[in-house]
């Protein structure tokens, strides 16, 4: 027997409420996550925030979750037994090159392959985005367009719109950038999730559990400027590049709330759960 319009509407509302309750319950249950830190804490970030681990926790952590940091840059990585206890991993930025052959970088790339084979969820940011690409069969290197420093607008692809359908992504996603390397060639079967005028692969996805973000959703203006000032003193960037970075904040601000939803949703598998539940609502 079919449902009348009122019955159908009531059922749909009830199903939607059930979906929200299920997502909330999953969040409350918590999870276990690890940051693979690929750069040392700067004095500024250590004094102002307690280190990059706390910066990432501010972006990604929620009540009831367990978080731990591994200093990948010092060769500290989880054993396979330790890795099995985590639901997901975050790979940070670094002053090193993802295409470099330092022992810790090669060890990290090997760990990434094992984590992916084990079905772990992995989110990579800047260097993390690039080392994910390299480890899984892609290529990275210096950008022919040079440094990208400041707030930049990236543009999600149709694939991103589908993946993040519950979030209803805008056509422009402002994010803080600070990089001179980029993804040259994606791993086989990976798909581009976002592009910008300066960078062809701002975001990508590999399978259901791996995503890279070239920008820095975790950064704030003061963190970026502290790094820029340090590189300027070392003559690694130019005055004009610092000026452009400062001016970019007068044009637009990074959408921190949107990036929290994007990064948390992917890392914790929340988006896929929402999509499946929405599909069930439509079927009903």
């Amino acid at each position: 027997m079919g449902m009348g319009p009122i019955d159908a509407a009531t059922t749909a509302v009830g199903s939607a409420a059930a979906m929200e309750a299920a997502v909330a319950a999953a969040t409350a249950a918590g999870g276990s996550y690890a940051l693979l830190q690929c750069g040392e804490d700067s004095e500024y970030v250590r004094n102002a925030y307690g280190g990059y681990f706390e910066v990432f926790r501010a972006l990604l952590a929620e009540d009831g979750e367990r978080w731990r940091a591994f200093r990948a840059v010092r060769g500290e990585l989880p054993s396979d037994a330790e890795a099995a206890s985590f639901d997901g991993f975050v790979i940070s930025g670094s002053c090193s090159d993802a295409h470099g052959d330092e022992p810790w970088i090669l060890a990290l790339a090997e760990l990434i392959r094992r984590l992916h084979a084990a079905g772990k969820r992995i989110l990579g940011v800047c260097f993390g985005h690039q080392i994910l690409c390299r480890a899984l069969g892609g290529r990275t290197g210096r950008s022919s367009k040079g440094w990208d420093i400041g707030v930049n607008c990236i543009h999600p692809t149709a694939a991103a719109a589908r993946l993040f359908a519950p979030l209803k992504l805008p056509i422009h996603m402002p994010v803080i950038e600070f990089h001179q390397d980029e993804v040259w060639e994606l791993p086989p079967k990976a798909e581009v999730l976002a592009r910008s005028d300066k960078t062809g692969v701002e975001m990508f996805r590999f399978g259901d559990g791996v995503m890279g973000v070239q920008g820095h959703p975790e950064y704030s203006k003061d963190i970026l400027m502290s790094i820029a000032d340090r590189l300027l003193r070392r003559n690694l960037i130019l005055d004009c590049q610092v000026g452009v970075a400062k001016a970019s904040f007068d044009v637009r601000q990074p959408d921190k709330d949107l990036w929290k939803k994007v990064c948390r949703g992917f890392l914790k598998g929340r988006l896929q759960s929402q999509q499946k539940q929405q599909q069930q609502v439509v079927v009903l």
Side-chain angles (χ1 to χ4, degrees):
M1 179 177 176
M3 294 183 292
I6 294 177
D7 293 331
T10 301
T11 301
V13 170
S15 299
M19 177 184 73
E20 292 177 2
V23 171
T27 299
S32 185
Y33 301 93
L35 173 68
L36 306 179
Q37 190 170 328
C38 301
E40 298 290 355
D41 293 328
S42 68
E43 182 179 0
Y44 177 82
V45 169
R46 189 166 54 249
N47 291 337
Y49 294 94
Y52 281 114
F53 179 56
E54 295 303 327
V55 172
F56 273 98
R57 275 176 42 83
L59 176 74
L60 299 170
E62 296 172 279
D63 290 345
E65 294 174 349
R66 299 172 301 282
W67 282 79
R68 178 178 171 183
F70 292 87
R71 300 276 182 167
V73 69
R74 301 180 188 176
E76 179 187 338
L77 295 172
S79 67
D80 289 348
E82 287 177 312
S85 68
F86 292 101
D87 299 303
F89 295 81
V90 180
I91 306 176
S92 79
S94 177
C95 61
S96 297
D97 298 326
H99 52 273
D101 289 327
E102 291 96 322
W104 74 269
I105 293 177
L106 299 180
L108 176 59
E110 178 57 35
L111 174 64
I112 288 168
R113 288 187 282 270
R114 296 200 305 274
L115 294 176
H116 174 61
K120 297 297 184 180
R121 304 192 71 82
I122 315 173
L123 171 68
V125 172
C126 197
F127 169 91
H129 162 86
Q130 296 159 15
I131 194 64
L132 281 175
C133 172
R134 176 187 179 181
L136 298 171
R139 296 172 60 238
T140 68
R142 286 282 190 269
S143 169
S144 61
K145 296 181 180 179
W147 284 98
D148 186 2
I149 310 173
V151 183
N152 194 4
C153 266
I154 72 170
H155 313 295
T157 63
R162 290 191 299 270
L163 176 63
F164 296 104
L167 300 183
K168 296 180 174 59
L169 295 181
I171 59 173
H172 304 296
M173 298 171 62
V175 67
I176 293 175
E177 305 262 12
F178 205 134
H179 65 100
Q180 63 174 336
D181 293 346
E182 64 179 5
V183 168
W184 283 357
E185 180 182 328
L186 283 173
K189 298 184 180 180
E191 61 181 348
V192 179
L193 295 180
R195 300 182 173 91
S196 72
D197 294 340
K198 290 203 71 168
T199 304
V201 183
E202 286 281 3
M203 295 175 64
F204 78 92
R205 178 175 73 149
F206 187 79
D208 291 331
V210 174
M211 185 173 79
V213 178
Q214 179 58 73
H216 282 278
E218 80 282 12
Y219 274 12
S220 52
K221 180 180 179 180
D222 60 314
I223 292 176
L224 177 133
M225 296 312 304
S226 71
I227 298 170
D229 290 343
R230 188 171 74 248
L231 295 189
L232 181 61
R233 290 195 301 270
R234 297 177 182 177
N235 296 316
L236 296 175
I237 57 175
L238 304 174
D239 275 314
C240 61
Q241 292 170 313
V242 177
V244 168
K246 285 182 179 178
S248 71
F249 286 89
D250 296 329
V251 177
R252 62 183 69 90
Q253 293 294 314
D255 194 338
K256 204 70 174 275
D257 288 339
L258 173 63
W259 282 106
K260 275 187 178 183
K261 293 174 183 176
V262 166
C263 294
R264 289 178 179 181
F266 186 87
L267 178 65
K268 300 167 188 183
R270 189 173 300 158
L271 296 167
Q272 288 87 340
S273 298
Q274 287 177 326
Q275 287 173 327
K276 287 179 182 177
Q277 289 161 352
Q278 286 174 338
Q279 289 168 357
Q280 291 172 353
V281 170
V282 171
V283 171
L284 289 171

